[in-house]
Amino acid sequence: MNNTMAQFYVAKQRVTTQQRLTVTIEELDPFGQGVARHKGKTLFVAGALPGEQAEIVLTEDKRQFARAKVTRLISRSPARVTPRCPHYDRCGGCQQQHADVALQQQSKAQALSRMLSQAASQSVAVDEVIAGQPWGYRRRARLGLQWQNKAQRLQMGFRQEASNDLVDIQHCPVLVPELEALLVPLHQCLSDLRAVRRLGHVELVLADNGPLMILRHLDALHTDDREKLEQFSHKHQLMLFLDAGDENLTALSESMPFYHSHQLKLTFNPQDFIQVNDGVNQQMVAKAIAWLDLQPEDRVLDLFCGMGNFTLPVGIFVQNVVGVEGIAALVRQAAYNADLNNLKNVSFFQHNLEEEVSRQPWATQGFNKVLLDPARAGAAGVMAHVVKLAPERVVYVSCNPTTLARDSQILLSAGYQLERVAMLDMFPHTRHLESMVLFRKT
């Protein structure tokens, strides 16, 4: 018995001994990890860049691949830059601040090209990269709030990588400057509240008519706290909303937020999904309009339309456009904005697009052009219906190259040609890879 245990213990010890290897990094994967090969196995090395030679230790060893971290850089890539954010080594928000923007874009475009080429069984090139400002681009952020009993202070920040622990944030160079400037005074304001131990999170959004803040609080707020929050909102000229966890927000200001797109005024509820990167979003909508080659007689279907980010601008150019979205609140907001902008040729329907669509009232109408902008899960449920509509052009906007590649195969096997591919640099310095593809009927 003892002997067996001793052997087991020795074996276990041998497995966990951290093996040091020296490797040369060959490429960057789409998530910002360096990729190396050792004895036929792929190694993913956090923080290492292509061309660098590094001494590493394995942190996880699987049959197909291993993960590793750098213990010493032997040579440095010319694309290596000093991260701009003081919280970068701990905060889980960004993964690529140590690589220059050109390398980030190049590695994401290569990954997109590789995945689409596999799906199409032919070489697919990325035609263009659509990018905006690499810093100060995020117009929305959600910050966690946690009372630390031991330190007797409020933590406010983003989560660490693969952890629920918060990293206190005083700076965030990817946030728009108007929101970054609020971080320190906001932390001070929240720390002074009686309810400081019973706060959930805070959301900051920059609308075209100014910043707004949503505070999630776990108990009813004392009058003193409300007054302090209102004073803060007046001082910093922001729209203030309180979230007690029920259906409705309490608005402590008269204004409703809005942003502009293609000369349209789009109002939104503070918790509605809006694209985080306004600069890239404006270019993306313009590109979709150009790729669809819109004509006055066109009938366009926009699936997963949200609050009409594409649908409403498309409505300016065509005879008729129908937007379909699963979330009722977004459909209501979209319809309100169509009315507000006097777009009589735009209509919206609510439907869960993962379910059968053929019996839906909108599904029987004829459409000659289709746009899709699904969530990460992709659009598997509607691809067969899109093919049945036989549109001349399909523009697919994607936030997940894996599901884009899968859904592309359905269009390709139905005789569509993959005509143009753009990588959208919607989230510089992060692992997110967004893209858009134009398919044409041959």
Side-chain angles (χ1 to χ4, degrees):
M1 177 77 174
N2 286 349
N3 192 28
T4 314
M5 280 186 76
Q7 280 178 340
F8 175 73
Y9 178 72
V10 169
K12 192 173 179 189
Q13 215 178 23
R14 192 158 50 239
V15 171
T16 55
T17 300
Q18 292 196 318
Q19 190 185 357
R20 285 179 188 274
L21 304 170
T22 299
V23 295
T24 301
I25 308 301
E26 294 171 20
E27 60 183 327
L28 209 57
D29 81 349
F31 309 114
Q33 303 176 104
V35 181
R37 307 238 163 16
H38 180 72
K39 294 186 177 171
K41 187 183 282 192
T42 302
L43 308 180
F44 296 103
V45 186
L49 298 179
E52 291 184 334
Q53 202 180 27
E55 196 177 87
I56 62 168
V57 298
L58 300 188
T59 54
E60 190 183 344
D61 198 0
K62 304 274 193 195
R63 185 175 296 174
Q64 301 289 330
F65 69 91
R67 296 188 195 285
K69 64 179 183 186
V70 176
T71 52
R72 186 169 68 95
L73 269 183
I74 297 164
S75 65
R76 294 171 72 85
S77 164
R80 179 172 287 279
V81 292
T82 304
R84 196 177 283 200
C85 180
H87 310 295
Y88 178 62
D89 59 340
R90 293 182 61 232
C91 175
C94 293
Q95 296 79 36
Q96 300 196 11
Q97 285 193 23
H98 62 289
D100 68 22
V101 172
L103 175 61
Q104 291 181 36
Q105 291 177 353
Q106 179 195 334
S107 62
K108 287 181 181 181
Q110 280 172 348
L112 180 62
S113 169
R114 188 167 59 241
M115 291 166 102
L116 288 175
S117 297
Q118 284 168 351
S121 304
Q122 65 184 70
S123 177
V124 175
V126 172
D127 301 293
E128 58 190 302
V129 172
I130 295 172
Q133 296 292 333
W135 300 100
Y137 64 83
R138 253 199 110 91
R139 63 173 167 180
R140 174 166 224 143
R142 179 173 166 150
L143 296 135
L145 299 171
Q146 256 172 20
W147 175 256
Q148 286 186 303
N149 238 339
K150 207 170 174 184
Q152 288 290 294
R153 67 183 297 279
L154 178 71
Q155 263 194 320
M156 181 180 95
F158 301 122
R159 304 210 176 285
Q160 287 184 32
E161 186 74 28
S163 163
N164 279 329
D165 295 341
L166 290 182
V167 178
D168 265 321
I169 296 290
Q170 285 87 41
H171 301 281
C172 180
V174 296
L175 270 188
V176 290
E178 296 92 328
L179 296 185
E180 191 189 24
L182 291 171
L183 294 176
V184 173
L186 175 59
H187 182 263
Q188 184 60 56
C189 168
L190 298 178
S191 297
D192 288 344
L193 299 183
R194 291 185 180 202
V196 65
R197 291 170 171 78
R198 302 287 294 153
L199 302 175
H201 59 258
V202 64
E203 286 187 67
L204 297 173
V205 185
L206 184 66
D208 282 7
N209 54 328
L212 72 88
M213 170 176 127
I214 310 163
L215 178 64
R216 172 80 174 96
H217 54 96
L218 307 178
D219 303 329
L221 286 179
H222 192 278
T223 318
D224 290 0
D225 282 356
R226 269 184 178 245
E227 279 178 13
K228 280 178 183 166
L229 287 163
E230 286 193 56
Q231 282 168 1
F232 180 83
S233 73
H234 293 315
K235 183 180 176 183
H236 295 279
Q237 295 180 306
L238 56 83
M239 294 168 265
L240 176 60
F241 300 85
L242 300 177
D243 175 10
D246 48 18
E247 284 298 291
N248 299 312
L249 296 179
T250 305
L252 297 187
S253 46
E254 300 295 309
S255 310
M256 273 305 285
F258 62 82
Y259 68 93
H260 291 93
S261 178
H262 287 72
Q263 288 82 56
L264 302 175
K265 179 182 177 181
L266 305 185
T267 64
F268 63 96
N269 284 307
Q271 289 172 309
D272 284 350
F273 171 79
I274 62 166
Q275 291 286 357
V276 158
N277 188 325
D278 180 45
V280 173
N281 184 51
Q282 301 278 352
Q283 293 181 68
M284 173 177 78
V285 173
K287 187 63 67 179
I289 286 168
W291 281 4
L292 286 168
D293 188 28
L294 298 176
Q295 304 300 322
E297 67 280 4
D298 282 345
R299 296 172 58 75
V300 182
L301 177 63
D302 180 9
L303 298 170
F304 310 92
C305 69
M307 51 164 270
N309 185 48
F310 290 101
T311 334
L312 295 160
V314 165
I316 298 168
F317 301 95
V318 299
Q319 180 189 324
N320 181 272
V321 56
V322 169
V324 186
E325 165 60 44
I327 299 167
L330 293 178
V331 174
R332 283 194 298 273
Q333 198 60 38
Y336 174 83
N337 280 322
D339 209 32
L340 181 72
N341 291 282
N342 203 25
L343 288 166
K344 306 264 187 274
N345 59 332
V346 181
S347 48
F348 292 94
F349 294 87
Q350 185 198 354
H351 184 67
N352 177 357
L353 289 167
E354 288 169 14
E355 293 169 5
E356 175 59 38
V357 297
S358 55
R359 290 193 185 84
Q360 292 299 305
W362 51 268
T364 53
Q365 300 177 31
F367 299 99
N368 65 323
K369 288 168 186 178
V370 173
L371 189 140
L372 308 93
D373 184 9
R376 293 191 62 75
V382 291
M383 294 313 293
H385 190 74
V386 170
V387 166
K388 205 157 71 179
L389 290 169
E392 301 153 29
R393 290 170 183 248
V394 177
V395 169
Y396 189 132
V397 179
S398 164
C399 60
N400 181 353
T402 307
T403 51
L404 168 65
R406 178 199 69 199
D407 295 343
S408 295
Q409 288 177 315
I410 296 164
L411 288 168
L412 295 167
S413 57
Y416 281 83
Q417 207 161 15
L418 203 153
E419 190 142 296
R420 296 197 68 76
V421 181
M423 196 281 279
L424 303 167
D425 200 15
M426 190 71 87
F427 300 101
H429 316 295
T430 75
R431 62 166 68 96
H432 297 291
L433 173 45
E434 315 255 328
S435 58
M436 59 193 289
V437 181
L438 168 64
F439 297 92
R440 277 186 74 174
K441 191 127 187 79
T442 49

